[in-house]
């Protein structure tokens, strides 16, 4: 059964929402593995999961992969699905068709994104002929199709923006176009998130802003993650990862402990939910949820509620 508005209801609800992000895997084996990880994550009954929209491949391949994985997830009748979509390489008509296909697959909400040019977020951006220049344009098309829409926000400046004021103008335009919530690029500390929320509120932006969290599993991920989030990772985290370098279990423990502390700080700062980037794996994401006591609303309302902050974890790598 397709339950409408579940994503918006979870983010605006009385409990912090819990969500996990996946990407469309390549091939049937990857899809089977994704389904196993989803099953494992059911332990915390996430409020929704999201499926990214591929940056590479042909236009047809990208939409086919996204629709196929979305349909498979929705068929499990578990958490609600938020489907990402980008304007990269698409005309308006193509986007309207894909929105229709994702809705038919069972998507409950969509994340409207511009996406990046092939050279990455800093490369010059040119809209596709007959397409759109900014995510706000896609928000309008999705809203016209009756979708609940979320958008991206950046705690650290977007790599191509001149300053955070430009980011705020873009976020305000997306809210004005009809977005109901925003999810941030990954953060590794609560303060940049709290600063973003404060800037947004001062600018009159009222959207709930959910922080994105990625538990780091190894030191060699650091350069790539810094590229994504547009800022250096905290020096204490990087130093702790380097101390454990080569010992996968030690590195993962550092990443998990750091993420646990960050999630707690974010919830204390008033975050309306936590969005976990999983890289299509369940172990670390699940570990973080267990240690914090993070549960989806279905479990919390059923009384299966270890209060936040009660669980303990073996070590804290953060200097407080
Ligand atoms: P926009 O809001 O359009 O902003 C892009 C740039 O243009 C910014 O510098 C902004 O300040 C500027 N801008 C916006 N509007 C205007 C305007 N009217 N005038 C002048 N400048 C303007 N990428 C993928 O390819 N697939 C995914 O599935 C995906 N999922 C993501 C999920 C999350 C939660 C996040 C945070 C990012 C995701 N991305 C994804 C990455 C995203 O596509 C890139 O970060 C992209 O560079 C920016 O997208 P946006 O939607 O914020 O674009």
């Amino acid at each position: 059964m397709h339950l409408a508005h579940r994503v918006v209801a979870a983010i605006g609800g009385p409990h912090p929402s819990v969500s996990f992000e996946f990407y469309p895997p390549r091939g049937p084996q990857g899809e089977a593995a994704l389904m196993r990880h989803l099953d494992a994550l059911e332990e915390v009954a996430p409020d929704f999961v999201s499926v990214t929209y591929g940056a590479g491949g042909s236009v047809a391949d990208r939409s086919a992969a996204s629709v196929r994985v979305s349909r498979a997830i929705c068929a499990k009748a578990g958490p609600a699905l938020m489907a990402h979509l980008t304007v990269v390489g698409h005309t308006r008509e193509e986007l309207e068709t894909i929105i229709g296909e994702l809705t038919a697959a069972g998507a409950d909400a969509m994340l409207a994104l511009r996406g990046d040019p092939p050279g990455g977020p800093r490369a010059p951006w040119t809209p596709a002929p007959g397409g759109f220049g900014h995510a706000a344009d896609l928000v309008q098309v999705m809203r016209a199709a009756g979708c609940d829409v979320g958008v991206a926000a950046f705690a650290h400046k977007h790599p191509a923006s001149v300053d955070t004021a430009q980011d705020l103008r873009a976020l305000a335009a997306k809210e004005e176009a009809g977005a109901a919530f925003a999810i941030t690029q990954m953060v590794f500390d609560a303060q940049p998130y709290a600063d973003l929320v404060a800037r947004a509120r001062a600018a009159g932006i009222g959207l709930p802003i959910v922080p994105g969290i990625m538990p780091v599993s190894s030191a060699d991920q650091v350069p790539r993650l810094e590229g994504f989030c547009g800022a250096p990772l905290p020096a204490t985290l990087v130093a702790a990862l380097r101390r454990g370098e080569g010992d996968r279990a030690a590195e993962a423990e550092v990443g998990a402990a750091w993420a646990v502390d960050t999630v707690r700080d974010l919830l204390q700062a008033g975050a309306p939910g936590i969005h976990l980037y999983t890289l299509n794996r369940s172990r670390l994401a699940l570990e973080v949820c267990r240690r914090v006591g993070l549960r989806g609303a279905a479990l919390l309302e059923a009384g299966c509620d270890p209060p936040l902050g009660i669980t303990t974890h073996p070590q804290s790598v953060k200097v407080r």
Side-chain angles (χ1 to χ4, degrees), residues 35 48 112 140 143 155 160-161 184 207 210 215 223 241 278 301 304 316:
M35 293 302 150
F48 66 97
Q140 277 182 349
R143 290 296 296 145
S161 294
T184 73
L207 288 174
V210 177
L241 286 167
T278 67
E301 280 153 17
C304 312
S316 175

Side-chain angles (χ1 to χ4, degrees), residues 51-105:
V51 174
T52 64
Y53 195 77
S58 72
V59 163
D61 287 349
R62 281 187 281 152
S63 62
S66 179
V67 171
R68 190 176 58 248
V69 174
S70 297
R71 194 178 294 125
I73 291 176
C74 292
K76 289 171 75 67
L81 177 80
M82 177 177 77
H84 300 206
L85 183 58
T86 75
V87 305
V88 175
H90 286 305
T91 63
R92 179 192 187 108
E93 289 70 27
E94 286 167 350
L95 290 165
E96 285 170 343
T97 301
I98 300 165
I99 291 165
E101 289 170 348
L102 290 168
T103 306

Side-chain angles (χ1 to χ4, degrees), residues 21 52-55 84 86 111-116 121 133-135 152-154 158 160-161 166-167 170 174 183-185 277:
E21 179 169 313
T52 64
Y53 195 77
H84 300 206
T86 75
L111 195 68
L113 300 145
R114 187 198 70 178
D116 287 320
H134 304 292
F154 299 85
H158 180 277
S161 294
Q166 183 184 345
D167 285 343
K174 293 188 271 198
I183 299 183
T184 73
Q185 189 53 280
Y277 295 94

Side-chain angles (χ1 to χ4, degrees), residues 174-268:
K174 293 188 271 198
E175 180 177 44
E176 203 169 311
F181 60 92
I183 299 183
T184 73
Q185 189 53 280
M186 50 191 76
V187 294
F188 294 90
D189 256 327
Q191 195 57 51
Y193 165 79
D195 292 344
L196 163 67
V197 174
R199 285 195 299 276
R201 301 298 175 249
I205 297 167
L207 288 174
I209 302 176
V210 177
I213 284 283
M214 187 172 135
V216 192
S217 61
S218 70
D220 55 25
Q221 289 179 311
V222 170
R224 203 158 154 256
L225 298 182
E226 291 185 335
F228 278 133
C229 80
L233 262 55
T236 320
L237 169 61
V238 177
L241 286 167
R242 298 259 182 255
R243 276 196 298 280
E245 205 161 357
D247 177 344
R248 289 289 178 198
E251 289 176 273
E253 176 51 39
V254 168
W258 187 274
V260 166
D261 284 342
T262 305
V263 168
R264 287 188 172 138
D265 291 346
L266 287 164
L267 293 173
Q268 240 168 14

